[in-house]
Short mmCIF file of all heavy atoms in Angstrom, two decimals:
data_model
loop_
_atom_site.label_atom_id
_atom_site.label_comp_id
_atom_site.label_asym_id
_atom_site.label_seq_id
_atom_site.Cartn_x
_atom_site.Cartn_y
_atom_site.Cartn_z
N ILE A 1 -0.79 10.85 -24.39
CA ILE A 1 -0.66 10.59 -22.96
C ILE A 1 -1.37 9.29 -22.57
O ILE A 1 -0.82 8.44 -21.86
CB ILE A 1 -1.21 11.78 -22.15
CG1 ILE A 1 -0.34 13.02 -22.39
CG2 ILE A 1 -1.26 11.46 -20.65
CD1 ILE A 1 -0.90 14.29 -21.77
N ASN A 2 -2.60 9.12 -23.05
CA ASN A 2 -3.37 7.93 -22.68
C ASN A 2 -2.76 6.65 -23.26
O ASN A 2 -2.77 5.60 -22.60
CB ASN A 2 -4.82 8.08 -23.16
CG ASN A 2 -5.58 9.14 -22.39
OD1 ASN A 2 -5.25 9.43 -21.24
ND2 ASN A 2 -6.59 9.71 -23.00
N SER A 3 -2.25 6.73 -24.47
CA SER A 3 -1.67 5.53 -25.09
C SER A 3 -0.43 5.06 -24.35
O SER A 3 -0.25 3.86 -24.11
CB SER A 3 -1.35 5.80 -26.56
OG SER A 3 -0.41 6.85 -26.68
N LEU A 4 0.45 6.00 -23.96
CA LEU A 4 1.64 5.61 -23.22
C LEU A 4 1.30 5.12 -21.82
O LEU A 4 1.93 4.19 -21.31
CB LEU A 4 2.61 6.79 -23.14
CG LEU A 4 3.40 7.10 -24.42
CD1 LEU A 4 4.35 8.27 -24.20
CD2 LEU A 4 4.18 5.88 -24.89
N SER A 5 0.28 5.72 -21.20
CA SER A 5 -0.15 5.25 -19.88
C SER A 5 -0.70 3.84 -19.95
O SER A 5 -0.38 2.98 -19.11
CB SER A 5 -1.22 6.20 -19.31
OG SER A 5 -0.72 7.51 -19.15
N THR A 6 -1.53 3.58 -20.96
CA THR A 6 -2.09 2.23 -21.14
C THR A 6 -0.99 1.22 -21.44
O THR A 6 -1.01 0.09 -20.92
CB THR A 6 -3.12 2.25 -22.28
OG1 THR A 6 -4.14 3.20 -21.99
CG2 THR A 6 -3.75 0.88 -22.44
N LEU A 7 -0.02 1.62 -22.25
CA LEU A 7 1.09 0.72 -22.58
C LEU A 7 1.89 0.37 -21.33
O LEU A 7 2.29 -0.79 -21.14
CB LEU A 7 1.99 1.39 -23.61
CG LEU A 7 3.23 0.59 -24.06
CD1 LEU A 7 2.80 -0.74 -24.69
CD2 LEU A 7 4.07 1.41 -25.03
N ALA A 8 2.12 1.36 -20.46
CA ALA A 8 2.87 1.10 -19.22
C ALA A 8 2.12 0.15 -18.30
O ALA A 8 2.71 -0.73 -17.67
CB ALA A 8 3.16 2.42 -18.51
N GLN A 9 0.80 0.32 -18.21
CA GLN A 9 0.00 -0.56 -17.36
C GLN A 9 0.00 -2.00 -17.89
O GLN A 9 0.08 -2.95 -17.12
CB GLN A 9 -1.43 -0.03 -17.27
CG GLN A 9 -1.54 1.27 -16.49
CD GLN A 9 -2.92 1.89 -16.58
OE1 GLN A 9 -3.84 1.31 -17.13
NE2 GLN A 9 -3.06 3.09 -16.04
N LYS A 10 -0.07 -2.15 -19.21
CA LYS A 10 -0.02 -3.49 -19.78
C LYS A 10 1.35 -4.12 -19.60
O LYS A 10 1.47 -5.31 -19.31
CB LYS A 10 -0.38 -3.44 -21.28
CG LYS A 10 -1.84 -3.11 -21.55
CD LYS A 10 -2.12 -3.12 -23.05
CE LYS A 10 -3.58 -2.84 -23.34
NZ LYS A 10 -3.87 -2.83 -24.80
N ALA A 11 2.40 -3.30 -19.76
CA ALA A 11 3.76 -3.83 -19.62
C ALA A 11 4.04 -4.27 -18.18
O ALA A 11 4.71 -5.28 -17.96
CB ALA A 11 4.78 -2.78 -20.06
N SER A 12 3.53 -3.51 -17.21
CA SER A 12 3.75 -3.86 -15.81
C SER A 12 2.73 -4.87 -15.29
O SER A 12 2.79 -5.26 -14.12
CB SER A 12 3.70 -2.60 -14.94
OG SER A 12 2.45 -1.93 -15.08
N ASN A 13 1.77 -5.26 -16.14
CA ASN A 13 0.76 -6.26 -15.80
C ASN A 13 0.00 -5.87 -14.53
O ASN A 13 -0.18 -6.67 -13.62
CB ASN A 13 1.41 -7.63 -15.62
CG ASN A 13 0.39 -8.76 -15.62
OD1 ASN A 13 -0.71 -8.62 -16.19
ND2 ASN A 13 0.72 -9.87 -14.98
N THR A 14 -0.43 -4.62 -14.50
CA THR A 14 -1.18 -4.12 -13.36
C THR A 14 -2.49 -3.51 -13.85
O THR A 14 -2.64 -3.18 -15.03
CB THR A 14 -0.40 -3.04 -12.59
OG1 THR A 14 -0.06 -1.97 -13.48
CG2 THR A 14 0.87 -3.63 -12.00
N SER A 15 -3.41 -3.39 -12.92
CA SER A 15 -4.66 -2.71 -13.24
C SER A 15 -4.40 -1.21 -13.27
O SER A 15 -3.26 -0.76 -13.20
CB SER A 15 -5.73 -3.07 -12.20
OG SER A 15 -5.29 -2.72 -10.90
N VAL A 16 -5.45 -0.44 -13.35
CA VAL A 16 -5.30 1.01 -13.42
C VAL A 16 -4.63 1.53 -12.15
O VAL A 16 -5.10 1.31 -11.04
CB VAL A 16 -6.67 1.69 -13.61
CG1 VAL A 16 -6.50 3.20 -13.63
CG2 VAL A 16 -7.32 1.21 -14.90
N ILE A 17 -3.51 2.23 -12.32
CA ILE A 17 -2.77 2.78 -11.20
C ILE A 17 -3.10 4.26 -11.08
O ILE A 17 -2.90 5.03 -12.03
CB ILE A 17 -1.25 2.59 -11.38
CG1 ILE A 17 -0.91 1.10 -11.42
CG2 ILE A 17 -0.48 3.27 -10.26
CD1 ILE A 17 0.55 0.82 -11.67
N THR A 18 -3.61 4.67 -9.93
CA THR A 18 -3.96 6.05 -9.68
C THR A 18 -3.32 6.50 -8.36
O THR A 18 -2.91 5.66 -7.55
CB THR A 18 -5.48 6.23 -9.60
OG1 THR A 18 -5.98 5.48 -8.47
CG2 THR A 18 -6.16 5.73 -10.88
N PRO A 19 -3.24 7.80 -8.11
CA PRO A 19 -2.69 8.27 -6.83
C PRO A 19 -3.43 7.70 -5.63
O PRO A 19 -2.81 7.39 -4.60
CB PRO A 19 -2.84 9.79 -6.92
CG PRO A 19 -2.78 10.09 -8.38
CD PRO A 19 -3.47 8.94 -9.04
N SER A 20 -4.73 7.53 -5.72
CA SER A 20 -5.50 7.02 -4.59
C SER A 20 -5.15 5.57 -4.27
O SER A 20 -5.06 5.19 -3.11
CB SER A 20 -7.00 7.15 -4.87
OG SER A 20 -7.39 8.50 -4.88
N THR A 21 -4.95 4.76 -5.30
CA THR A 21 -4.60 3.36 -5.04
C THR A 21 -3.23 3.25 -4.38
O THR A 21 -2.99 2.34 -3.58
CB THR A 21 -4.59 2.56 -6.35
OG1 THR A 21 -3.66 3.16 -7.28
CG2 THR A 21 -5.97 2.55 -6.99
N ILE A 22 -2.33 4.17 -4.70
CA ILE A 22 -1.00 4.16 -4.08
C ILE A 22 -1.11 4.48 -2.59
O ILE A 22 -0.52 3.80 -1.74
CB ILE A 22 -0.08 5.18 -4.79
CG1 ILE A 22 0.10 4.81 -6.26
CG2 ILE A 22 1.27 5.26 -4.09
CD1 ILE A 22 0.82 5.85 -7.07
N VAL A 23 -1.87 5.52 -2.26
CA VAL A 23 -2.03 5.90 -0.85
C VAL A 23 -2.80 4.83 -0.09
O VAL A 23 -2.49 4.53 1.08
CB VAL A 23 -2.74 7.26 -0.74
CG1 VAL A 23 -2.99 7.62 0.72
CG2 VAL A 23 -1.89 8.35 -1.39
N ASP A 24 -3.80 4.23 -0.71
CA ASP A 24 -4.58 3.19 -0.05
C ASP A 24 -3.70 2.01 0.35
O ASP A 24 -3.90 1.41 1.42
CB ASP A 24 -5.71 2.71 -0.97
CG ASP A 24 -6.81 3.75 -1.11
OD1 ASP A 24 -6.85 4.66 -0.26
OD2 ASP A 24 -7.61 3.64 -2.05
N LEU A 25 -2.72 1.67 -0.48
CA LEU A 25 -1.81 0.58 -0.15
C LEU A 25 -0.99 0.94 1.09
O LEU A 25 -0.75 0.08 1.96
CB LEU A 25 -0.89 0.28 -1.34
CG LEU A 25 0.13 -0.83 -1.15
CD1 LEU A 25 -0.57 -2.15 -0.82
CD2 LEU A 25 0.99 -0.99 -2.40
N GLY A 26 -0.57 2.19 1.18
CA GLY A 26 0.16 2.63 2.37
C GLY A 26 -0.66 2.54 3.63
O GLY A 26 -0.16 2.11 4.69
N PHE A 27 -1.94 2.89 3.54
CA PHE A 27 -2.82 2.78 4.71
C PHE A 27 -3.09 1.32 5.08
O PHE A 27 -3.28 1.00 6.25
CB PHE A 27 -4.15 3.51 4.44
CG PHE A 27 -4.07 4.99 4.69
CD1 PHE A 27 -4.13 5.89 3.64
CD2 PHE A 27 -3.95 5.48 5.98
CE1 PHE A 27 -4.06 7.25 3.87
CE2 PHE A 27 -3.88 6.84 6.23
CZ PHE A 27 -3.92 7.73 5.16
N MET A 28 -3.13 0.44 4.09
CA MET A 28 -3.30 -0.99 4.37
C MET A 28 -2.13 -1.51 5.21
O MET A 28 -2.33 -2.24 6.20
CB MET A 28 -3.42 -1.78 3.07
CG MET A 28 -4.73 -1.61 2.33
SD MET A 28 -4.66 -2.32 0.65
CE MET A 28 -4.16 -4.00 1.02
N ILE A 29 -0.91 -1.13 4.81
CA ILE A 29 0.28 -1.57 5.56
C ILE A 29 0.28 -0.96 6.96
O ILE A 29 0.61 -1.61 7.95
CB ILE A 29 1.55 -1.19 4.78
CG1 ILE A 29 1.59 -1.94 3.45
CG2 ILE A 29 2.81 -1.48 5.60
CD1 ILE A 29 2.73 -1.56 2.55
N TRP A 30 -0.09 0.31 7.06
CA TRP A 30 -0.16 0.98 8.37
C TRP A 30 -1.18 0.30 9.28
O TRP A 30 -0.93 0.07 10.46
CB TRP A 30 -0.50 2.45 8.17
CG TRP A 30 -0.81 3.18 9.44
CD1 TRP A 30 -2.04 3.45 9.96
CD2 TRP A 30 0.13 3.74 10.37
NE1 TRP A 30 -1.95 4.14 11.13
CE2 TRP A 30 -0.62 4.33 11.42
CE3 TRP A 30 1.51 3.79 10.42
CZ2 TRP A 30 -0.01 4.97 12.49
CZ3 TRP A 30 2.11 4.44 11.48
CH2 TRP A 30 1.36 5.00 12.51
N LYS A 31 -2.33 -0.03 8.71
CA LYS A 31 -3.38 -0.68 9.50
C LYS A 31 -2.92 -2.05 9.98
O LYS A 31 -3.21 -2.46 11.12
CB LYS A 31 -4.66 -0.81 8.67
CG LYS A 31 -5.83 -1.39 9.44
CD LYS A 31 -7.08 -1.43 8.57
CE LYS A 31 -8.26 -2.01 9.34
NZ LYS A 31 -9.48 -2.08 8.50
N ARG A 32 -2.22 -2.80 9.13
CA ARG A 32 -1.73 -4.11 9.53
C ARG A 32 -0.73 -3.97 10.68
O ARG A 32 -0.72 -4.78 11.61
CB ARG A 32 -1.07 -4.80 8.34
CG ARG A 32 -0.49 -6.18 8.63
CD ARG A 32 -1.56 -7.18 9.03
NE ARG A 32 -2.48 -7.45 7.95
CZ ARG A 32 -2.30 -8.40 7.02
NH1 ARG A 32 -1.21 -9.14 7.06
NH2 ARG A 32 -3.20 -8.60 6.09
N ALA A 33 0.12 -2.92 10.63
CA ALA A 33 1.08 -2.70 11.71
C ALA A 33 0.38 -2.32 13.01
O ALA A 33 0.75 -2.78 14.10
CB ALA A 33 2.09 -1.63 11.31
N VAL A 34 -0.66 -1.48 12.92
CA VAL A 34 -1.41 -1.07 14.11
C VAL A 34 -2.14 -2.26 14.70
O VAL A 34 -2.21 -2.44 15.93
CB VAL A 34 -2.39 0.07 13.76
CG1 VAL A 34 -3.31 0.37 14.94
CG2 VAL A 34 -1.62 1.32 13.36
N THR A 35 -2.68 -3.11 13.84
CA THR A 35 -3.40 -4.30 14.32
C THR A 35 -2.46 -5.24 15.07
O THR A 35 -2.87 -5.92 16.01
CB THR A 35 -4.03 -5.04 13.13
OG1 THR A 35 -4.88 -4.14 12.41
CG2 THR A 35 -4.86 -6.22 13.61
N GLY A 36 -1.18 -5.25 14.66
CA GLY A 36 -0.23 -6.15 15.29
C GLY A 36 0.43 -5.59 16.54
O GLY A 36 1.37 -6.20 17.06
N LEU A 37 -0.01 -4.43 17.05
CA LEU A 37 0.57 -3.86 18.26
C LEU A 37 0.35 -4.77 19.46
O LEU A 37 -0.73 -5.34 19.63
CB LEU A 37 -0.03 -2.47 18.54
CG LEU A 37 0.37 -1.32 17.60
CD1 LEU A 37 -0.38 -0.06 17.97
CD2 LEU A 37 1.87 -1.09 17.64
N SER A 38 1.38 -4.88 20.28
CA SER A 38 1.28 -5.72 21.46
C SER A 38 2.16 -5.14 22.56
O SER A 38 3.31 -4.76 22.31
CB SER A 38 1.72 -7.16 21.15
OG SER A 38 1.75 -7.94 22.33
N VAL A 39 1.59 -5.08 23.76
CA VAL A 39 2.37 -4.56 24.90
C VAL A 39 3.46 -5.54 25.31
O VAL A 39 4.41 -5.17 26.01
CB VAL A 39 1.44 -4.27 26.10
CG1 VAL A 39 0.48 -3.16 25.78
CG2 VAL A 39 0.68 -5.53 26.50
N TRP A 40 3.32 -6.81 24.88
CA TRP A 40 4.31 -7.83 25.26
C TRP A 40 5.54 -7.79 24.35
O TRP A 40 6.55 -8.42 24.67
CB TRP A 40 3.66 -9.22 25.20
CG TRP A 40 2.44 -9.31 26.08
CD1 TRP A 40 1.14 -9.39 25.69
CD2 TRP A 40 2.43 -9.30 27.50
NE1 TRP A 40 0.29 -9.43 26.75
CE2 TRP A 40 1.07 -9.37 27.91
CE3 TRP A 40 3.41 -9.21 28.48
CZ2 TRP A 40 0.68 -9.37 29.23
CZ3 TRP A 40 3.02 -9.22 29.82
CH2 TRP A 40 1.66 -9.30 30.19
N SER A 41 5.43 -7.10 23.22
CA SER A 41 6.59 -6.96 22.33
C SER A 41 6.69 -5.50 21.87
O SER A 41 6.40 -5.19 20.71
CB SER A 41 6.46 -7.89 21.13
OG SER A 41 5.23 -7.69 20.47
N PRO A 42 7.03 -4.61 22.80
CA PRO A 42 7.05 -3.18 22.47
C PRO A 42 8.07 -2.82 21.39
O PRO A 42 7.82 -1.94 20.57
CB PRO A 42 7.39 -2.52 23.80
CG PRO A 42 8.10 -3.58 24.59
CD PRO A 42 7.46 -4.88 24.18
N VAL A 43 9.22 -3.50 21.40
CA VAL A 43 10.25 -3.17 20.41
C VAL A 43 9.77 -3.51 19.01
O VAL A 43 9.89 -2.71 18.06
CB VAL A 43 11.55 -3.91 20.73
CG1 VAL A 43 12.60 -3.63 19.64
CG2 VAL A 43 12.09 -3.49 22.09
N ASP A 44 9.21 -4.71 18.86
CA ASP A 44 8.69 -5.11 17.54
C ASP A 44 7.55 -4.20 17.10
O ASP A 44 7.45 -3.82 15.93
CB ASP A 44 8.21 -6.56 17.59
CG ASP A 44 9.37 -7.53 17.75
OD1 ASP A 44 10.52 -7.11 17.49
OD2 ASP A 44 9.12 -8.68 18.14
N SER A 45 6.67 -3.86 18.04
CA SER A 45 5.53 -3.01 17.70
C SER A 45 6.00 -1.62 17.27
O SER A 45 5.51 -1.06 16.27
CB SER A 45 4.59 -2.89 18.90
OG SER A 45 4.08 -4.15 19.26
N PHE A 46 6.95 -1.06 18.03
CA PHE A 46 7.46 0.28 17.69
C PHE A 46 8.17 0.25 16.34
O PHE A 46 8.00 1.16 15.51
CB PHE A 46 8.42 0.74 18.79
CG PHE A 46 9.03 2.09 18.53
CD1 PHE A 46 8.28 3.25 18.71
CD2 PHE A 46 10.34 2.20 18.11
CE1 PHE A 46 8.84 4.49 18.46
CE2 PHE A 46 10.91 3.44 17.87
CZ PHE A 46 10.16 4.59 18.05
#
């Protein structure tokens, strides 16, 4: 299991991929969208 996981990470040229890093990326995108909220552009914000 570990050898195939390490091989996949090297092949995809990424650091260690874990469930937490996946969810953290989603929260980063959500936070950027919330930061960009504006009452002057409700359609874009929504």
Side-chain angles (χ1 to χ4, degrees):
I1 294 173
N2 290 334
S3 60
L4 284 181
S5 299
T6 303
L7 179 61
Q9 291 172 6
K10 290 182 178 179
S12 58
N13 195 25
T14 58
S15 57
V16 178
I17 298 177
T18 64
S20 291
T21 58
I22 298 172
V23 176
D24 288 343
L25 180 59
F27 278 110
M28 287 169 55
I29 297 175
W30 171 263
K31 184 177 180 181
R32 179 64 65 88
V34 172
T35 304
L37 289 177
S38 174
V39 295
W40 304 109
S41 54
V43 176
D44 291 342
S45 298
F46 179 75

